[in-house]
Amino acid sequence: MDVRAQVSMVFHLDKCIGCHTCSIACKNLWTDRRGAEYMWWNNVETKPGTGYPTLYEDQEKYRGGWEAGAGRPRLKLGGRLAELARIFHNPRLPALDDYYEPWTYRYDQLIGAPPSDDQPVATPVSLVTGEDMKIEAGPNWDDDLGGSSIYAAADPNVEALTDSERGQLLAFERLVFFYLPRICNHCLNPGCLAACPAGAIYKRGEDGIVLVSQHKCRGWRMCISGCPYKKTYFNWANGKAEKCILCYPRQETQQVPACMHSCVGRIRYLGVLLYDAERLAATAALPDAELVEAQRALILDPFDPEIAAAAREAGMPEAILEAARRSPVFQFVKRFRLALPHHPEFRTLPMLFYVPPLLPVMATVSDGHYEVTPELLSSLDASRLPLRYLAAMFTAGEVAPIVEVYRKLVAARLYQRATTVGDVPRESATHALEEAGLSAQDAEEIYRLTALASFEERFVVPPFFREGAIESVEDVHEHQEEEGAGFLRPPRRGW
C-alpha cells in the first residue's frame, strides 16, 4: 500500500443557481490578461447542452483521456510515435471557434462621434487579429438555453438515451436544464500530463494539484488534446499552456480557492482524500461498469487504524490525517456515497465529484392543461431528466449507482419534511430511509452537510508543509521513463 494525499472537491448540483460568480472570481484573479481572454478555468455550463468548448465530451472527435488496456490504460490520443506524427498538425485539437474569439469594441466611434441624427455604434473588433468581426459566440453563449432542443439535441450524453427518452427530454412542455460548474479535476491519472511531449506538466506530490511548468512548456498543445475535459488552454499571446492551479498560493496560506470562496449557492466543498497509489493503473484499466465503485475503493478510510499506520510509515504528517478525517469530500464520496465523478469512462480518475440534481416533477401538461402534481417529490421513473442521461455523465452509463444516490437524496429530504414540516407521514419517511440504507442519524448528517454546514465544515484546507516537500522535476522525468508513456503513479515528494 502506498498512501498519498489528494486535495479534492465536491459540487452539489442541486444548489447551483448559475450566477457565474465563481467564474468571475477566477477570471479576475487568474485570466484577466492578454492571451487568456477566452480562458475560463472555471466555467458554468447549462446541461443538457453542448458545453465549453463545443462538444468537448465527444471523445470520438477529440480522443481525450484513456481507454482500457491489458492491465493498464492507454492514451486514446496514442503513444509518443503517434504524437510525433501529428506534432505539427493535430486534428484532435479544438479550434478557437469551438471556444469563441475574444473581442472588444471600437469605443472611439462612440466617444469621438460628431453630432448626428443617428445613434453611433461601436464596432466589435477581434482581440486576436485586431480586425472587425461579427460576434457569433461568446462565454456562456448557451446559458439557460442548454435545455432547449437546439442545444440539448447536440449534447453527446443524449446519444445514450432511447428514442422515447430522447423525445421525453426534448418535449417542449418538459424542457429542463441544470447548471454544471467545471474546473480542472486535478486527476489521479491526468491525460494532459501523459500527452505532454515536453514533460512540462507535473502533479505535486504533497497535494496532487496538477500544474504546467511555464519554463518547460513548448506550446505543442498535446495536453489540450489529451485532457478529455478540455481544461488546459493555450495562451495565444505567449505560446504557453495554462490551466486551473486550484489557487494553490491561497491554499498554502490556508485560504480557500477563489471560486469556492465566492460561491453564492454554497455548492462547493473542499477537503483532502487519502488514496492508494499502487492501485492506480489497475483501477484505470477496469471495464466501464466497474469504474465508479473501483474509484471509491481507491479512496482510503482515514479512520481505519491500518490506513493511518501506513500513512504515518510513509511519512505523512498527523495534521494531514486529521484533515482527511474532517474532510467533507470523504463524507460525500466514501461515507454517504452521494457524489460521483464526471465521466469516469475517461479513466483519468478525476478528483472533482458531483452530487446529481434531483429535478423533481412538480407539474405536468395533460390534454393541454397544466396540472400541479400532488406529490412532494416525483418517483424516479417520472424524473424530468432521464436517469440514463445522468448515468452517461456520472457513472459511465450504469443506472444503478444513480438510482442509489437518488434514493438517498429523496429519503433524506422526506425525512426532513416529516420532521420539520409534517406534510409527509413519518412511516413513509422511515420506509424511504430503510430502502435507501440510511439511518435517521445519517439523514440528519446529510441535511447538515448539505444545508447547514459552516464555512469551516465545507472547506477543510490541509496544511501543505511546503518546507518539507521536495520539488524535483527530475524525479518526475525518471518516473515517466520507468513507467513509459503515461503518469499513473506520481513520484513521492515530501511524503
Side-chain angles (χ1 to χ4, degrees), residues 408-487:
K408 291 180 179 180
L409 293 175
V410 171
R413 186 170 293 191
L414 290 176
Y415 174 80
Q416 286 301 320
R417 298 289 299 197
T419 303
T420 60
V421 182
D423 58 349
V424 174
R426 176 69 66 174
E427 297 77 14
S428 299
T430 302
H431 178 66
L433 288 177
E434 292 174 354
E435 280 195 333
L438 298 176
S439 65
Q441 182 179 353
D442 290 336
E444 290 283 0
E445 292 188 33
I446 291 173
Y447 168 64
R448 173 166 185 82
L449 189 61
T450 301
L452 301 179
S454 65
F455 189 93
E456 290 74 19
E457 292 172 313
R458 287 186 289 120
F459 305 118
V460 181
V461 180
F464 280 31
F465 296 103
R466 290 289 294 157
E467 67 278 3
I470 303 173
E471 288 292 326
S472 175
V473 178
E474 286 74 16
D475 287 349
V476 177
H477 285 180
E478 290 176 8
H479 177 78
Q480 287 177 328
E481 291 296 330
E482 293 173 3
E483 296 286 347
F487 188 85

Coordinates of all heavy atoms in Angstrom, one line a residue, residues 408-487:
K408 N -31.2 7.9 -1.8 CA -30.7 8.5 -0.5 C -31.1 10.0 -0.4 O -31.5 10.5 0.6 CB -29.2 8.4 -0.5 CG -28.7 6.9 -0.2 CD -27.2 6.8 -0.2 CE -26.8 5.4 0.1 NZ -25.3 5.3 0.2
L409 N -30.9 10.7 -1.6 CA -31.3 12.1 -1.6 C -32.8 12.3 -1.3 O -33.2 13.2 -0.5 CB -30.9 12.8 -2.9 CG -29.5 12.9 -3.2 CD1 -29.3 13.4 -4.7 CD2 -28.7 13.8 -2.2
V410 N -33.6 11.5 -1.9 CA -35.1 11.6 -1.7 C -35.4 11.2 -0.3 O -36.2 11.9 0.4 CB -35.8 10.7 -2.7 CG1 -37.3 10.6 -2.4 CG2 -35.7 11.3 -4.1
A411 N -34.8 10.1 0.2 CA -35.1 9.7 1.6 C -34.7 10.7 2.6 O -35.5 11.0 3.6 CB -34.4 8.4 1.9
A412 N -33.6 11.4 2.5 CA -33.2 12.4 3.4 C -34.1 13.6 3.4 O -34.4 14.2 4.4 CB -31.7 12.8 3.1
R413 N -34.6 13.9 2.2 CA -35.5 15.1 2.1 C -36.9 14.7 2.7 O -37.5 15.5 3.4 CB -35.6 15.5 0.6 CG -36.5 16.7 0.4 CD -36.4 17.2 -1.0 NE -35.1 17.7 -1.4 CZ -34.8 18.4 -2.5 NH1 -35.8 18.7 -3.4 NH2 -33.6 18.8 -2.7
L414 N -37.3 13.5 2.4 CA -38.6 13.1 3.0 C -38.5 13.1 4.5 O -39.5 13.5 5.2 CB -39.0 11.7 2.5 CG -39.4 11.6 1.0 CD1 -39.7 10.2 0.6 CD2 -40.7 12.5 0.7
Y415 N -37.4 12.6 5.0 CA -37.2 12.6 6.5 C -37.3 14.0 7.1 O -38.0 14.2 8.1 CB -35.9 11.9 6.8 CG -35.6 12.0 8.3 CD1 -36.1 11.0 9.2 CD2 -34.7 13.0 8.8 CE1 -35.8 11.1 10.6 CE2 -34.4 13.0 10.2 CZ -35.0 12.1 11.0 OH -34.7 12.1 12.4
Q416 N -36.7 14.9 6.4 CA -36.7 16.3 6.9 C -38.1 16.9 6.8 O -38.5 17.7 7.7 CB -35.7 17.2 6.2 CG -34.2 16.9 6.6 CD -34.0 17.1 8.1 OE1 -34.5 18.1 8.6 NE2 -33.2 16.3 8.7
R417 N -38.8 16.6 5.7 CA -40.2 17.1 5.6 C -41.1 16.5 6.7 O -41.9 17.2 7.3 CB -40.8 16.7 4.3 CG -40.1 17.3 3.1 CD -40.3 18.8 2.9 NE -41.6 19.2 2.7 CZ -42.0 20.4 2.3 NH1 -41.1 21.3 1.9 NH2 -43.3 20.7 2.2
A418 N -40.9 15.3 7.0 CA -41.7 14.6 8.1 C -41.3 15.2 9.4 O -42.2 15.3 10.3 CB -41.4 13.1 8.1
T419 N -40.1 15.6 9.6 CA -39.6 16.0 10.9 C -39.9 17.5 11.2 O -40.4 17.9 12.2 CB -38.1 15.8 11.1 OG1 -37.8 14.5 10.9 CG2 -37.6 16.3 12.4
T420 N -39.7 18.3 10.1 CA -39.9 19.8 10.3 C -41.2 20.4 9.9 O -41.7 21.3 10.4 CB -38.7 20.5 9.6 OG1 -38.8 20.2 8.2 CG2 -37.4 20.1 10.1
V421 N -41.8 19.8 8.8 CA -43.0 20.4 8.2 C -44.2 19.5 8.6 O -45.3 20.1 8.9 CB -42.9 20.5 6.7 CG1 -44.1 21.1 6.1 CG2 -41.7 21.3 6.3
G422 N -44.0 18.2 8.6 CA -45.1 17.3 8.9 C -46.1 17.0 7.8 O -47.1 16.4 8.1
D423 N -45.7 17.4 6.6 CA -46.6 17.1 5.5 C -46.3 15.7 4.8 O -46.9 15.4 3.8 CB -46.6 18.2 4.4 CG -45.2 18.4 3.9 OD1 -44.2 17.8 4.4 OD2 -45.0 19.1 2.9
V424 N -45.3 15.0 5.4 CA -45.0 13.6 4.9 C -45.2 12.7 6.1 O -44.6 13.0 7.2 CB -43.6 13.5 4.4 CG1 -43.2 12.1 4.0 CG2 -43.4 14.4 3.1
P425 N -46.0 11.6 6.0 CA -46.2 10.7 7.1 C -44.8 10.1 7.6 O -43.9 9.8 6.7 CB -47.0 9.6 6.5 CG -47.7 10.2 5.3 CD -46.8 11.2 4.8
R426 N -44.7 10.0 8.9 CA -43.5 9.5 9.4 C -43.1 8.1 8.9 O -42.0 7.8 8.7 CB -43.6 9.5 11.0 CG -42.4 8.9 11.7 CD -41.1 9.7 11.6 NE -41.3 11.0 12.3 CZ -40.3 11.9 12.5 NH1 -39.1 11.6 11.9 NH2 -40.5 13.0 13.1
E427 N -44.2 7.3 8.7 CA -44.0 5.9 8.2 C -43.4 5.9 6.8 O -42.5 5.1 6.5 CB -45.3 5.2 8.2 CG -45.9 5.0 9.6 CD -46.6 6.2 10.1 OE1 -46.8 7.2 9.3 OE2 -46.9 6.3 11.3
S428 N -43.8 6.8 6.0 CA -43.3 6.9 4.6 C -41.8 7.3 4.7 O -41.0 6.8 3.9 CB -44.1 7.9 3.8 OG -45.4 7.6 3.7
A429 N -41.5 8.3 5.5 CA -40.1 8.7 5.6 C -39.2 7.6 6.1 O -38.1 7.3 5.6 CB -40.0 9.9 6.5
T430 N -39.7 6.8 7.1 CA -38.9 5.7 7.7 C -38.7 4.6 6.7 O -37.6 4.1 6.5 CB -39.6 5.2 8.9 OG1 -39.8 6.2 9.9 CG2 -38.8 4.0 9.5
H431 N -39.8 4.4 5.9 CA -39.7 3.3 4.9 C -38.7 3.8 3.8 O -37.9 2.9 3.3 CB -41.0 3.1 4.2 CG -41.0 2.1 3.1 ND1 -40.7 0.8 3.3 CD2 -41.2 2.2 1.8 CE1 -40.8 0.1 2.2 NE2 -41.1 1.0 1.2
A432 N -38.7 5.0 3.4 CA -37.7 5.5 2.4 C -36.3 5.4 2.9 O -35.4 5.1 2.2 CB -38.1 7.0 2.1
L433 N -36.1 5.7 4.2 CA -34.7 5.6 4.8 C -34.3 4.1 4.7 O -33.1 3.8 4.4 CB -34.7 6.1 6.2 CG -34.8 7.6 6.4 CD1 -34.8 7.9 7.9 CD2 -33.6 8.3 5.8
E434 N -35.2 3.2 5.1 CA -34.8 1.8 5.1 C -34.4 1.3 3.6 O -33.5 0.6 3.4 CB -35.9 1.0 5.6 CG -36.2 1.2 7.1 CD -37.4 0.4 7.6 OE1 -38.1 -0.1 6.8 OE2 -37.6 0.4 8.8
E435 N -35.2 1.8 2.7 CA -34.9 1.4 1.3 C -33.6 2.0 0.8 O -32.9 1.3 0.0 CB -36.0 1.9 0.4 CG -37.3 1.0 0.4 CD -38.2 1.3 -0.8 OE1 -38.1 2.5 -1.3 OE2 -38.9 0.4 -1.3
A436 N -33.3 3.1 1.3 CA -32.0 3.8 0.9 C -30.8 3.3 1.7 O -29.7 3.7 1.4 CB -32.1 5.3 1.0
G437 N -31.0 2.5 2.7 CA -29.9 2.0 3.6 C -29.4 3.1 4.5 O -28.2 3.1 4.8
L438 N -30.2 4.1 4.9 CA -29.8 5.1 5.8 C -30.5 5.0 7.1 O -31.6 4.5 7.2 CB -30.1 6.5 5.1 CG -29.5 6.9 3.8 CD1 -30.0 8.2 3.3 CD2 -28.0 6.9 4.0
S439 N -29.9 5.6 8.1 CA -30.5 5.7 9.4 C -31.0 7.1 9.6 O -30.6 8.0 8.8 CB -29.5 5.4 10.6 OG -28.4 6.3 10.6
A440 N -31.8 7.4 10.7 CA -32.2 8.7 10.9 C -31.0 9.7 11.2 O -31.0 10.8 10.8 CB -33.2 8.7 12.1
Q441 N -30.0 9.1 11.9 CA -28.8 10.0 12.1 C -28.1 10.3 10.8 O -27.6 11.4 10.6 CB -27.9 9.2 13.0 CG -26.6 10.0 13.4 CD -25.7 9.3 14.3 OE1 -26.0 8.2 14.9 NE2 -24.5 9.8 14.6
D442 N -28.0 9.3 9.9 CA -27.4 9.6 8.6 C -28.2 10.7 7.9 O -27.6 11.6 7.3 CB -27.5 8.4 7.7 CG -26.5 7.3 8.2 OD1 -25.5 7.6 8.8 OD2 -26.8 6.1 7.9
A443 N -29.5 10.7 7.9 CA -30.3 11.7 7.2 C -30.1 13.1 7.9 O -30.0 14.1 7.1 CB -31.8 11.4 7.3
E444 N -29.9 13.1 9.2 CA -29.6 14.4 9.9 C -28.3 14.9 9.4 O -28.1 16.1 9.2 CB -29.7 14.2 11.4 CG -31.1 13.9 12.0 CD -31.9 15.2 12.1 OE1 -31.4 16.3 11.7 OE2 -33.0 15.2 12.5
E445 N -27.3 14.0 9.3 CA -25.9 14.5 9.0 C -25.9 14.9 7.5 O -25.2 15.9 7.2 CB -24.9 13.4 9.2 CG -24.8 13.0 10.7 CD -23.6 12.1 11.0 OE1 -22.7 12.1 10.2 OE2 -23.7 11.3 11.9
I446 N -26.6 14.2 6.6 CA -26.6 14.6 5.2 C -27.3 16.0 5.1 O -26.8 16.9 4.4 CB -27.4 13.6 4.4 CG1 -26.6 12.3 4.3 CG2 -27.7 14.1 3.0 CD1 -27.3 11.2 3.6
Y447 N -28.4 16.2 5.9 CA -29.0 17.5 5.9 C -28.1 18.6 6.4 O -28.0 19.7 5.7 CB -30.3 17.4 6.7 CG -30.9 18.8 7.1 CD1 -31.5 19.6 6.1 CD2 -31.0 19.2 8.4 CE1 -32.0 20.8 6.3 CE2 -31.6 20.5 8.7 CZ -32.1 21.2 7.7 OH -32.6 22.5 7.9
R448 N -27.4 18.4 7.4 CA -26.5 19.4 7.9 C -25.4 19.7 6.9 O -25.0 20.8 6.7 CB -25.9 19.0 9.3 CG -24.8 19.9 9.8 CD -24.4 19.8 11.2 NE -23.5 20.8 11.5 CZ -23.8 22.1 11.8 NH1 -25.1 22.4 11.9 NH2 -22.9 23.0 12.1
L449 N -24.8 18.6 6.4 CA -23.7 18.8 5.4 C -24.1 19.5 4.2 O -23.4 20.3 3.6 CB -23.1 17.4 5.1 CG -21.8 17.4 4.3 CD1 -20.7 18.0 5.0 CD2 -21.5 15.9 3.9
T450 N -25.4 19.3 3.8 CA -25.9 19.9 2.5 C -26.4 21.3 2.8 O -26.1 22.2 1.9 CB -27.0 19.0 2.0 OG1 -26.5 17.7 1.7 CG2 -27.5 19.6 0.7
A451 N -27.1 21.5 3.9 CA -27.8 22.8 4.0 C -27.3 23.7 5.1 O -27.5 24.9 5.0 CB -29.3 22.5 4.3
L452 N -26.7 23.2 6.1 CA -26.3 24.0 7.3 C -24.8 24.1 7.6 O -24.4 24.7 8.5 CB -27.0 23.4 8.6 CG -28.5 23.3 8.5 CD1 -29.0 22.7 9.8 CD2 -29.2 24.7 8.3
A453 N -24.0 23.4 6.8 CA -22.6 23.3 7.1 C -22.0 24.7 7.1 O -22.3 25.6 6.2 CB -21.9 22.5 6.1
S454 N -21.1 25.0 8.1 CA -20.4 26.3 8.2 C -19.3 26.3 7.2 O -19.0 25.4 6.5 CB -19.9 26.5 9.6 OG -18.9 25.5 9.9
F455 N -18.7 27.5 7.1 CA -17.6 27.7 6.2 C -16.4 26.7 6.5 O -15.9 26.1 5.6 CB -17.1 29.1 6.3 CG -16.0 29.5 5.3 CD1 -16.4 30.1 4.1 CD2 -14.7 29.3 5.5 CE1 -15.5 30.5 3.1 CE2 -13.7 29.6 4.5 CZ -14.1 30.2 3.3
E456 N -16.2 26.5 7.8 CA -15.1 25.7 8.2 C -15.4 24.2 8.0 O -14.5 23.4 7.8 CB -14.8 25.9 9.7 CG -14.1 27.2 10.0 CD -15.1 28.4 10.0 OE1 -16.3 28.1 10.0 OE2 -14.7 29.5 9.8
E457 N -16.7 23.9 7.9 CA -17.1 22.5 7.7 C -17.1 22.2 6.2 O -16.8 21.0 5.8 CB -18.5 22.2 8.2 CG -18.5 22.2 9.7 CD -20.0 22.1 10.3 OE1 -20.8 22.9 9.8 OE2 -20.2 21.3 11.2
R458 N -17.4 23.2 5.3 CA -17.4 23.0 3.9 C -16.0 23.0 3.3 O -15.7 22.3 2.3 CB -18.2 24.0 3.2 CG -19.7 23.9 3.4 CD -20.5 24.9 2.6 NE -20.4 26.2 3.1 CZ -19.9 27.3 2.4 NH1 -19.5 27.1 1.2 NH2 -19.9 28.5 2.9
F459 N -15.1 23.7 3.9 CA -13.7 23.8 3.4 C -12.7 23.4 4.5 O -12.5 24.2 5.4 CB -13.4 25.2 2.9 CG -14.5 25.7 1.9 CD1 -15.3 26.8 2.2 CD2 -14.6 25.1 0.7 CE1 -16.2 27.3 1.3 CE2 -15.6 25.6 -0.2 CZ -16.4 26.6 0.1
V460 N -12.1 22.3 4.3 CA -11.0 21.8 5.2 C -9.7 21.8 4.4 O -9.4 20.8 3.8 CB -11.4 20.4 5.8 CG1 -10.3 20.0 6.8 CG2 -12.7 20.5 6.5
V461 N -9.0 22.9 4.4 CA -7.8 23.1 3.7 C -6.7 22.5 4.5 O -6.4 22.9 5.6 CB -7.5 24.6 3.4 CG1 -6.2 24.7 2.6 CG2 -8.6 25.2 2.6
P462 N -6.0 21.4 4.0 CA -5.0 20.8 4.8 C -3.7 21.6 4.9 O -3.5 22.4 3.9 CB -4.7 19.5 4.0 CG -5.0 19.8 2.6 CD -6.2 20.8 2.7
P463 N -2.9 21.5 5.9 CA -1.6 22.2 5.9 C -0.7 21.5 4.9 O -0.7 20.3 4.7 CB -1.1 21.9 7.3 CG -1.8 20.7 7.8 CD -3.2 20.7 7.1
F464 N 0.0 22.3 4.1 CA 0.7 21.8 2.9 C 2.2 21.4 3.3 O 2.8 20.7 2.6 CB 0.7 22.8 1.8 CG -0.5 22.8 1.0 CD1 -1.7 22.5 1.6 CD2 -0.5 23.1 -0.4 CE1 -2.9 22.5 0.8 CE2 -1.7 23.1 -1.1 CZ -2.9 22.8 -0.5
F465 N 2.7 22.0 4.4 CA 4.1 21.7 4.8 C 5.1 21.8 3.6 O 5.9 20.9 3.3 CB 4.2 20.2 5.4 CG 3.4 20.0 6.6 CD1 2.1 19.4 6.6 CD2 3.8 20.5 7.8 CE1 1.4 19.2 7.8 CE2 3.1 20.4 9.0 CZ 1.9 19.7 9.0
R466 N 5.0 23.0 3.0 CA 5.8 23.2 1.8 C 7.3 23.1 2.2 O 8.1 22.8 1.3 CB 5.5 24.5 1.2 CG 4.1 24.6 0.6 CD 4.1 23.8 -0.7 NE 5.0 24.4 -1.7 CZ 5.5 23.7 -2.8 NH1 5.3 22.4 -2.9 NH2 6.2 24.3 -3.6
E467 N 7.6 23.4 3.4 CA 9.1 23.4 3.8 C 9.6 22.0 3.8 O 10.8 21.8 3.7 CB 9.3 24.1 5.1 CG 8.7 23.3 6.3 CD 7.2 23.5 6.5 OE1 6.6 24.3 5.7 OE2 6.6 23.0 7.5
G468 N 8.8 21.0 3.8 CA 9.2 19.6 3.9 C 9.1 18.9 2.5 O 9.5 17.8 2.4
A469 N 8.4 19.6 1.6 CA 8.2 18.9 0.3 C 9.3 19.2 -0.7 O 9.9 20.3 -0.7 CB 6.9 19.4 -0.3
I470 N 9.7 18.2 -1.4 CA 10.9 18.3 -2.3 C 10.3 18.5 -3.7 O 9.7 17.6 -4.3 CB 11.8 17.1 -2.3 CG1 12.3 16.9 -0.9 CG2 12.9 17.2 -3.3 CD1 13.1 15.6 -0.7
E471 N 10.5 19.7 -4.3 CA 10.0 19.9 -5.7 C 11.2 19.5 -6.6 O 12.2 20.2 -6.8 CB 9.8 21.4 -5.9 CG 8.5 21.9 -5.2 CD 7.3 21.3 -5.8 OE1 7.3 21.1 -7.0 OE2 6.3 21.1 -5.1
S472 N 11.0 18.3 -7.2 CA 12.0 17.8 -8.1 C 11.4 17.3 -9.4 O 10.8 16.3 -9.5 CB 12.7 16.6 -7.4 OG 13.6 15.9 -8.2
V473 N 11.6 18.1 -10.4 CA 11.1 17.7 -11.7 C 11.9 16.5 -12.3 O 11.3 15.7 -13.0 CB 11.2 18.9 -12.7 CG1 10.8 18.6 -14.1 CG2 10.4 20.1 -12.2
E474 N 13.1 16.4 -11.9 CA 13.9 15.2 -12.3 C 13.3 13.9 -11.9 O 13.3 12.9 -12.6 CB 15.4 15.3 -11.8 CG 16.2 16.4 -12.5 CD 15.8 17.8 -12.1 OE1 15.2 17.9 -11.1 OE2 16.2 18.7 -12.8
D475 N 12.7 13.9 -10.7 CA 12.0 12.7 -10.2 C 10.9 12.3 -11.1 O 10.6 11.2 -11.4 CB 11.5 12.9 -8.8 CG 12.6 13.0 -7.8 OD1 13.8 12.6 -8.1 OD2 12.4 13.3 -6.6
V476 N 10.1 13.3 -11.6 CA 9.0 13.1 -12.5 C 9.5 12.5 -13.8 O 9.0 11.5 -14.3 CB 8.3 14.4 -12.8 CG1 7.1 14.1 -13.8 CG2 7.7 15.0 -11.5
H477 N 10.6 13.0 -14.3 CA 11.1 12.5 -15.6 C 11.6 11.1 -15.4 O 11.4 10.2 -16.3 CB 12.2 13.4 -16.1 CG 11.7 14.7 -16.7 ND1 12.6 15.7 -17.2 CD2 10.5 15.2 -16.8 CE1 11.8 16.7 -17.6 NE2 10.6 16.4 -17.4
E478 N 12.3 10.8 -14.3 CA 12.8 9.5 -14.1 C 11.7 8.5 -14.0 O 11.7 7.4 -14.5 CB 13.7 9.4 -12.8 CG 15.0 10.1 -13.0 CD 15.8 10.2 -11.7 OE1 15.3 9.5 -10.7 OE2 16.8 10.8 -11.6
H479 N 10.6 8.9 -13.3 CA 9.5 8.0 -13.1 C 8.8 7.8 -14.5 O 8.4 6.6 -14.8 CB 8.5 8.6 -12.2 CG 7.2 7.8 -12.0 ND1 7.2 6.7 -11.2 CD2 6.0 7.9 -12.5 CE1 6.0 6.2 -11.3 NE2 5.2 6.9 -12.1
Q480 N 8.6 8.8 -15.3 CA 8.0 8.6 -16.6 C 8.8 7.7 -17.5 O 8.2 6.9 -18.2 CB 7.8 10.0 -17.3 CG 6.7 10.8 -16.6 CD 6.6 12.2 -17.3 OE1 7.6 12.7 -17.8 NE2 5.4 12.7 -17.3
E481 N 10.1 7.7 -17.4 CA 11.0 6.8 -18.2 C 10.7 5.4 -17.7 O 10.7 4.4 -18.5 CB 12.4 7.2 -18.0 CG 12.8 8.5 -18.7 CD 12.6 8.4 -20.2 OE1 12.7 7.3 -20.8 OE2 12.2 9.5 -20.8
E482 N 10.6 5.2 -16.4 CA 10.4 3.9 -15.8 C 9.0 3.3 -16.2 O 8.9 2.1 -16.6 CB 10.5 3.9 -14.3 CG 11.9 4.2 -13.8 CD 11.9 4.4 -12.3 OE1 10.9 4.2 -11.7 OE2 13.0 4.8 -11.8
E483 N 8.0 4.1 -16.2 CA 6.6 3.7 -16.4 C 6.3 3.7 -17.9 O 5.3 3.1 -18.3 CB 5.6 4.6 -15.7 CG 5.8 4.5 -14.1 CD 5.2 3.2 -13.6 OE1 4.5 2.5 -14.4 OE2 5.5 2.9 -12.4
G484 N 7.1 4.4 -18.7 CA 6.8 4.5 -20.1 C 5.8 5.7 -20.3 O 5.6 6.5 -19.4
A485 N 5.2 5.7 -21.5 CA 4.2 6.8 -21.7 C 3.1 6.8 -20.7 O 2.4 5.8 -20.6 CB 3.7 6.8 -23.1
G486 N 2.8 7.8 -20.1 CA 1.7 7.9 -19.1 C 2.2 8.3 -17.7 O 3.4 8.3 -17.5
F487 N 1.3 8.6 -16.8 CA 1.7 9.0 -15.5 C 0.6 8.5 -14.5 O -0.4 9.0 -14.2 CB 1.6 10.6 -15.5 CG 2.1 11.2 -14.2 CD1 3.5 11.4 -14.0 CD2 1.3 11.5 -13.2 CE1 4.0 11.9 -12.9 CE2 1.8 12.0 -12.0 CZ 3.1 12.3 -11.9

